[in-house]
Amino acid sequence: MSGNTIGRVFCLTTFGESHGPGLGGVVDGCPAGIALDEAVIQRELDRRKPGQGLGTTSRKEADQVRLLSGVFEGRTTGTAIGFFIANEDQRSRDYGPLEFLHRPGHADITYQAKYGVRDYRGGGRSSGRETVCRVVGGAIAQEVLAAQGVTVTAYTVELGGIGLESVSCSGSHCESSSGASPGVIQEGVAERPFFAAHPELVGPWEERIKEVRGQGDTLGGVVEILAQGVPAGLGEPVLDKLDARLAYALMGVGAVKGVEIGAGFAAARMLGSANNDPILANGFASNNAGGVLGGISSGQPLVVRVAVKPIPSIAKPQTTVDQHGREHELRIGGRHDICAIPRIVPVLKAMVCLTLADLLLLHRAAGHSRS
């Protein structure tokens, strides 16, 4: 299997399966001298780990990261950073009935077609558990970006069809974030349930999850990622555009089915006069472009939204086939999330951090200035 590495200068390679001994990876190309504490990485992992929140699986994993190399006395050495996270709460017996059945919405049937063999225990390499490695790599990338004044924040703007348009806006709860969705509050989103962009969304989302869980079904949502302090000039203008690299990275997360930059699909319904961002002596008047022009960062805040599909493991009966093409009725047991949100939010943030760190280092390697 190829396709386990992302990045050109700042590279992350991951390994491991959902029900194996553990998962891990190697970060190559991280500059020397970056302050890096395991506690910083652990904080990001704790935001993703299972067993917390209304809509998440009851699987309990400490997700304790061990840095194996590349860090000395709290700083990166410039050599490869190896890490490992043990699996501690696998229940492989739950997957016994799925050995010969293909779960609808999962990669079972495509893995079987490609390799002729698959790990049916939780999906093996295709499991969302692999994303724990992305979070570690993204946390390291985040420190590289922070050293250059770049910050990345991710938050949920819609869950189960309930979005920001459903909340009442008043006072500080309606502060805009320079091109981000109206109503976003940067302060506190990391600690708020679901990483909700607005506190009034939490209650309706909790009720929606309870309702759907009772039906044996699952939910999707929309996550927005905001990067501030991104210098102008990142990205290449033809086949290696910044927005193309971001879409590539984010679509590499299994539950993601769509990515939009800035106004995104709404731009298709605008006139050019409304969509263009006027350029004034003191900067841009708006940010429909989402911080990218011609595939190159403009210096404005980078705004990306991601469509997250419903979790495919549902309790309702479904029709499927076995590996011989015979039809069966399938009921999926085991422990599963009702929605990939909130656990996917730090994963999506990590993918943006990995992409920006790589492009920033490429920019510097090419001899371009920071500004």
Side-chain angles (χ1 to χ4, degrees):
M1 173 189 276
S2 60
N4 297 302
T5 300
I6 186 168
R8 303 196 181 171
V9 173
F10 188 97
C11 305
L12 168 67
T13 301
T14 75
F15 66 85
E17 290 86 30
S18 176
H19 285 243
L23 303 102
V26 175
V27 172
D28 227 341
C30 182
I34 300 294
L36 187 62
D37 189 336
E38 276 189 8
V40 172
I41 300 173
Q42 194 62 50
R43 183 179 64 223
E44 294 298 315
L45 284 170
D46 288 347
R47 290 169 175 162
R48 180 224 160 268
K49 71 180 180 183
Q52 54 183 347
L54 250 187
T56 67
T57 172
S58 60
R59 179 172 176 173
K60 298 289 185 181
E61 294 284 359
D63 282 352
Q64 192 71 39
V65 66
R66 286 179 57 207
L67 292 180
L68 306 177
S69 63
V71 181
F72 180 67
E73 295 183 341
R75 292 194 174 271
T76 59
T77 61
T79 59
I81 302 172
F83 62 88
F84 182 76
I85 298 159
N87 287 330
E88 298 174 336
D89 189 29
Q90 313 97 308
R91 271 197 347 214
S92 300
R93 63 183 181 276
D94 289 344
Y95 293 90
L98 301 176
E99 182 175 359
F100 303 109
L101 295 177
H102 301 306
R103 296 166 298 169
H106 284 273
D108 299 346
I109 196 165
T110 48
Y111 266 56
Q112 192 72 40
K114 184 173 181 67
Y115 299 107
V117 63
R118 64 184 176 87
D119 185 346
Y120 59 86
R121 305 166 304 163
R125 189 74 174 135
S126 69
S127 169
R129 179 138 182 80
E130 180 274 336
T131 60
V132 72
C133 302
R134 324 274 191 101
V135 175
V136 175
I140 297 169
Q142 182 176 238
E143 297 307 293
V144 174
L145 294 172
Q148 297 296 316
V150 180
T151 61
V152 181
T153 310
Y155 39 85
T156 308
V157 295
E158 183 180 319
L159 193 153
I162 302 170
L164 283 167
E165 70 285 346
S166 69
V167 303
S168 60
C169 261
S170 60
S172 63
H173 288 177
C174 286
E175 294 172 7
S176 177
S177 300
S178 303
S181 294
V184 168
I185 309 172
Q186 290 304 297
E187 204 68 38
V189 293
E191 284 70 45
R192 196 174 295 142
F194 308 105
F195 302 102
H198 194 290
E200 289 185 19
L201 289 166
V202 175
W205 286 352
E206 288 178 340
E207 290 305 310
R208 182 72 175 130
I209 284 175
K210 291 175 185 175
E211 174 190 7
V212 169
R213 179 193 281 125
Q215 298 167 353
D217 225 321
T218 57
L219 294 166
V222 179
V223 174
E224 186 167 277
I225 307 100
L226 173 69
Q228 296 174 291
V230 178
L234 301 191
E236 300 301 323
V238 183
L239 295 177
D240 211 9
K241 299 177 188 290
L242 168 58
D243 38 359
R245 290 284 301 275
L246 286 167
Y248 170 80
L250 290 164
M251 288 294 289
V253 178
V256 172
K257 301 304 289 183
V259 176
E260 62 178 13
I261 312 289
F265 278 91
R269 297 184 287 274
M270 293 181 183
L271 296 173
S273 55
N275 182 59
N276 287 349
D277 299 315
I279 306 172
L280 310 177
N282 61 347
F284 293 88
S286 58
N287 193 17
N288 288 317
V292 186
L293 292 168
I296 301 170
S297 60
S298 65
Q300 289 185 281
L302 187 66
V303 185
V304 189
R305 273 175 301 280
V306 175
V308 180
K309 74 174 184 177
I311 295 289
S313 292
I314 62 174
K316 288 186 170 184
Q318 302 176 81
T319 301
T320 190
V321 296
D322 61 26
Q323 57 192 39
H324 301 294
R326 295 175 297 217
E327 286 192 6
H328 295 262
E329 184 179 86
L330 172 65
R331 287 179 182 269
I332 297 178
R335 301 166 295 173
H336 306 285
D337 294 330
I338 301 298
C339 183
I341 295 167
R343 294 179 57 213
I344 198 172
V345 176
V347 177
L348 300 174
K349 173 187 172 183
M351 299 311 287
V352 171
C353 288
L354 286 164
T355 302
L356 291 179
D358 189 39
L359 288 174
L360 184 64
L361 293 175
L362 276 168
H363 191 66
R364 282 170 46 182
H368 301 300
S369 65
R370 163 70 171 79
S371 59

